[in-house]
Amino acid sequence: MVVVQRRELTFWERMYLPEIVRGLVITFKKMFEPRVTRQYPEQAMPTTAVTRGQPRLTVKDDGNIACVSCGLCEAACPAYAITIDGKETDRFIEREPERFDIDMLRCILCGFCEEACPKEAIFMSNELELANTTREGLVYDMEQLKRSTSTLQPRIDYVRKINDRW
Ligand code: SF4
Ligand code: SF4
């Protein structure tokens, strides 16, 4: 038969004092460390060019939308979030969207639309916030999706840099 010899606890160990002191030291140290709690929404999430927020459509400097309504992003979207109807134009670029909707409730922010687009017409913006009181209100139409090139420039530069690697 094996007899387990238990060590006798010292007086201080029986009082749990070392553990209490150690715990208080940790608490005291943590009081002086930088806080990680963010006071949202007053304190917005920091974003960078790498942030993959909601997709937005590029409007060129001449005021025309960059999209030529090719439908590649619609085909690439795994969530079936994009709906496009194209129309003819009088400009050199023959087509543009008549309707371009993104159902933001379906969008999973995967960025496939950005990758599929041959015209640098859709980019993942740094816009993260999404709220509405109705489902219909979260189906964004073309006017809600349009952003100037300068607004999307940091992301455009980042995507170009990534693509240059290949
Ligand atoms: S980010 Fe992904 S899910 Fe959202 S619209 Fe683009 S392809 Fe679809
Ligand atoms: S892939 Fe680009 S050009 Fe083609 S429909 Fe989508 S946004 Fe427009």
Side-chain angles (χ1 to χ4, degrees):
M1 190 175 74
V2 180
V3 179
V4 177
Q5 294 291 333
R6 293 193 189 282
R7 182 174 68 82
E8 279 292 311
L9 294 178
T10 65
F11 170 77
W12 293 113
E13 283 172 337
R14 282 204 300 275
M15 297 294 287
Y16 292 109
L17 268 182
E19 281 66 33
I20 291 170
V21 171
R22 206 174 303 138
L24 285 174
V25 168
I26 291 170
T27 306
F28 192 71
K29 271 202 230 159
K30 291 285 170 190
M31 280 166 62
F32 296 99
E33 285 184 8
R35 292 182 198 171
V36 291
T37 307
R38 189 173 300 285
Q39 300 303 318
Y40 183 85
E42 289 79 14
Q43 219 182 342
M45 283 282 286
T47 60
T48 68
V50 184
T51 304
R52 207 167 57 199
Q54 299 162 39
R56 295 290 183 258
L57 297 175
T58 322
V59 177
K60 295 184 291 185
D61 293 341
D62 63 6
N64 292 309
I65 193 164
C67 174
V68 295
S69 192
C70 69
L72 283 176
C73 57
E74 189 178 19
C77 179
Y80 303 108
I82 303 177
T83 308
I84 307 169
D85 290 332
K87 67 174 182 184
E88 305 295 316
T89 73
D90 299 331
R91 289 177 286 118
F92 175 67
I93 301 282
E94 306 87 14
R95 287 175 65 77
E96 67 179 13
E98 186 170 39
R99 170 191 178 198
F100 196 120
D101 294 345
I102 301 183
D103 186 340
M104 294 312 306
L105 287 175
R106 281 183 165 269
C107 178
I108 51 171
L109 309 180
C110 65
F112 284 8
C113 49
E114 179 185 70
E115 284 187 38
C117 182
K119 301 299 288 184
E120 295 195 330
I122 188 165
F123 283 97
M124 307 308 283
S125 69
N126 62 358
E127 296 173 41
L128 299 169
E129 284 156 16
L130 192 66
N132 209 299
T133 50
T134 63
R135 287 180 165 270
E136 298 74 36
L138 288 168
V139 179
Y140 286 5
D141 64 19
M142 195 157 58
E143 291 312 311
Q144 289 169 294
L145 293 169
K146 281 181 181 174
R147 292 294 179 273
S148 65
T149 305
S150 56
T151 308
L152 296 169
Q153 198 62 54
R155 180 70 186 183
I156 294 172
D157 293 341
Y158 171 74
V159 170
R160 283 179 183 163
K161 199 170 84 185
I162 295 292
N163 289 342
D164 279 350
R165 289 194 308 198
W166 316 114

